[in-house]
Amino acid sequence: MERAEFPFLGYGAGLRRPHYAEVAGGRPRMDWFEIVSENFMVAGGPALKTLERVRANYPVVMHGVSLSIGSTDPLDRDYLRQLAELARRIEPAWISDHLCWTGAAGRNLHDLMPMPFTEETVAYTAGRLRTAQDILGRRIAIENVSSYLTYTASSMAEWEFVAAVADAADCAILLDINNIYVNAFNHRFDPYAYVDAIPRERVVQFHLAGHSDYGTYLLDSHDHPICDGVWELFDYAVGRFGEASTLIEWDDRIPPFATLAAAADESRSRARAVLSRRVRSRAEGATR
Amino acid sequence: MTPTDPPPLSLRDLQLQLMRMIVAPTGVAEAIAEEPALAANGLGAIVRGDDRLSARERVEIYANAYFYRLLDVLKEDYPLTFTALGSDRFHNLITSYLLEFPPTEPSIFFAGRHLADFLRTYPAAVERPWLPELAGFERAMLEAFHAADATPLDASALRSTPPAEWPGWSMRLAPAVRLLMGDWAVHETAGPNPAVILPDPPRSTPAAIAIWRRDGDVLFRGLEPPEAAGLARAAGAQGARFEEICAAVAAKIANPGDAVESINRMLARWLADGLLIELDR
């Protein structure tokens, strides 16, 4: 996979409606923004104009929620056409979506449903990913999703599934650190083992977000600050994958923009600290 | 697999089965009972449970998320309808609505597009016959917000066109303009900013409403019959020649002597509001 297709963008935040005016009008300090593609797949109007103004000043990544790459419905070519049209319009750094299904039989659950982790679904999903990439004319990044159930049919671990699909589809991985943390609690696995199993060369982006603790499960709610456990897992991921474009997601109970900027700054500081420790320990190793 | 194990479900069957449980209005437990394969083998045949959460509780997390996500979106899209019905009745409305019109589009924006039509036959609308028009008004506001951009006709275009060419000048409504004709003044239940909701039910009166977008804001106002007739003539992709629009307006003006002045006044306002675009001359 050619890393130049996914240049390092720095530390960014999701572009959400309460911040449109501030971001489009004020050019606040932020390395880059990620949009939810479907929010801008409209004929026209203020949202698209805002996006064009933001794009004029920042790199933008298009992050979709409805590719439904694991669905057993035919690939939605009209959706892909609209996605390609939006990409032509705003020239994103890249396009990403989720390793999941969002509906079947023509219905959309508007949720990111997990896949059964089997050899068959690896082959099936990877085949559809390759087709989608061909239609879009570019490699895309695929994100590991949070989940609250596992299927009896699954015969491999989630991290094996993510790695196998990315390899078979020759696509990039958008590694959501919070989703790993949430799933590790919900399904009782070691989140650090998950990170260790993901192929280094495919990870081009990190997501960071907050979640809600319901006692018996963690919900990927994107409505809280990032917890210490997720930050620590992020540090570990940076240690393994190096510096990758990092994004703060906050979708509900959205705080002032300054809070997002502070979280992006913290991700930058932590990543730099991890990398500088790594350089120091290498240097010390060389002089021993 | 032992000889007594059921054969593994295909991915298709798995997705359809899970989806039926998630969207079931009576809850996951009843949906499981209605699935012959699951009733025989238990939900554990497809989803794993553990000591923390049973398989059913795990599916219920998705079922609740499905309904409440859509409920929240529709509350936001239909604030007047929500206020008119109250929380419990709106909840029941959306439960019934999603059964008949489940989301099918990639964007959640489309989830509520059939609500006004659905309300025409919905029992709670019998006591509130204005409800379908109110929901239609709210939908039209949303559609106007996301409609295609276009360069509106303005006064300078008018000035640069010789008056002799005006009668044959073809024009139509801008893509963001919506014209609503109904039996209730539903727009009067919303303040100038639709976030301000007035408590009284709408007046029963023939009503024409224009909705349009200017500088990113969606605006609306009631129309008198002559203005409504003129704008209705310009609706549709074909639009109309200016003389046809004038004739439609004039036909609704009681005193023909007032027609020219009325048309001039209306045209000035349409241009100021950006309601019209020019068709190829």
Side-chain angles (χ1 to χ4, degrees), chain B residues 99-167:
Chain B
L99 275 178
E100 193 159 330
F101 293 106
T104 56
E105 300 297 319
S107 170
I108 207 163
F109 164 71
F110 294 101
R113 65 179 157 166
H114 301 295
L115 192 64
D117 284 341
F118 180 75
L119 277 165
R120 290 184 205 290
T121 55
Y122 186 67
V126 173
E127 295 165 18
R128 302 168 188 79
W130 38 268
L131 214 48
E133 288 186 24
L134 184 67
F137 170 68
E138 295 190 274
R139 187 71 203 169
M141 299 275 289
L142 265 180
E143 289 175 357
F145 185 80
H146 291 301
D149 301 309
T151 305
L153 270 176
D154 60 14
S156 67
L158 201 68
R159 281 194 298 271
S160 63
T161 302
E165 292 181 18
W166 287 13

Side-chain angles (χ1 to χ4, degrees), chain A residues 60 90 111 135 150 168 205-206 238:
Chain A
V60 166
I90 68 154
D111 205 345
I135 292 171
T150 54
Q205 184 188 339
F206 296 127
V238 172

Side-chain angles (χ1 to χ4, degrees), chain A residues 52-122:
Chain A
E52 285 173 347
R53 288 168 65 194
V54 172
R55 177 66 189 92
N57 296 320
Y58 302 92
V60 166
V61 165
M62 283 171 47
H63 183 53
V65 293
S66 289
L67 179 58
S68 200
I69 202 68
S71 171
T72 48
D73 277 359
L75 267 180
D76 186 342
R77 285 169 190 267
D78 186 51
Y79 169 80
L80 285 166
R81 183 191 56 73
Q82 291 180 60
L83 197 62
E85 174 57 35
L86 183 62
R88 266 191 296 277
R89 187 167 181 159
I90 68 154
E91 298 180 348
W94 60 82
I95 295 173
S96 63
D97 206 297
H98 300 82
L99 185 46
C100 70
W101 59 285
T102 62
R107 295 178 67 151
N108 197 322
L109 294 171
H110 292 294
D111 205 345
L112 308 170
M113 302 299 299
M115 297 293 294
F117 307 137
T118 67
E119 295 294 346
E120 291 77 17
T121 54
V122 167

Side-chain angles (χ1 to χ4, degrees), chain A residues 267-284:
Chain A
S267 66
R268 183 198 327 271
S269 304
R270 295 186 78 113
R272 297 278 159 84
V274 168
L275 294 171
S276 104
R277 278 198 300 274
R278 201 164 70 172
V279 168
R280 247 193 341 263
S281 68
R282 274 193 197 136
E284 284 163 9

Side-chain angles (χ1 to χ4, degrees), chain A residues 1-10 61-62 92-97 133 138-142 170-174 201-205 243-245:
Chain A
M1 198 185 78
E2 192 55 61
R3 288 298 289 252
E5 295 167 73
F6 299 88
F8 175 63
L9 302 178
V61 165
M62 283 171 47
W94 60 82
I95 295 173
S96 63
D97 206 297
Q133 291 181 131
R138 60 167 79 210
R139 203 186 309 272
I140 66 175
I142 202 81
D170 194 17
C171 70
I173 294 174
L174 155 52
E201 68 282 6
R202 295 208 177 269
V203 174
V204 297
Q205 184 188 339
E243 199 169 33
S245 303

